[in-house]
Amino acid sequence: LKAQQLKTNNQLDKLKEKERLVIELRYFSNLSFSQIAENLNIRKNNAKVIHHRALITLKKLLPEYEI
């Protein structure tokens, strides 16, 4: 996942708010899923599921990039 490509294409804005937050915390802030969960007041497994769903959406939005 290339953060610069996502920012350049403004595709993060098309994600649901929590999905965008998880992606930003994971890739721009380099947080673990435990840290993301703590920051968003959700369970670690929920952070992983939201992350997975966000990646699926980004793959559809950015078919030209390998995500």
Side-chain angles (χ1 to χ4, degrees):
L1 182 67
K2 297 180 182 176
Q4 293 297 70
Q5 292 171 342
L6 293 177
K7 280 187 171 181
T8 301
N9 290 299
N10 294 319
Q11 298 304 316
L12 288 177
D13 293 336
K14 296 181 181 177
L15 295 175
K16 294 178 182 175
E17 183 179 1
K18 258 198 182 150
E19 291 175 344
R20 182 184 50 77
L21 287 171
V22 169
I23 293 295
E24 288 176 349
L25 292 172
R26 182 77 174 153
Y27 295 102
F28 303 146
S29 299
N30 295 314
L31 297 185
S32 68
F33 286 112
S34 295
Q35 293 168 316
I36 292 169
E38 188 176 322
N39 276 285
L40 298 180
N41 198 28
I42 58 175
R43 294 182 180 169
K44 179 180 173 180
N45 284 340
N46 288 357
K48 289 180 178 182
V49 168
I50 293 167
H51 176 263
H52 179 72
R53 289 179 181 161
L55 289 182
I56 289 172
T57 301
L58 289 171
K59 283 180 184 181
K60 291 176 184 175
L61 292 171
L62 298 166
E64 65 273 15
Y65 296 114
E66 290 184 26
I67 296 177

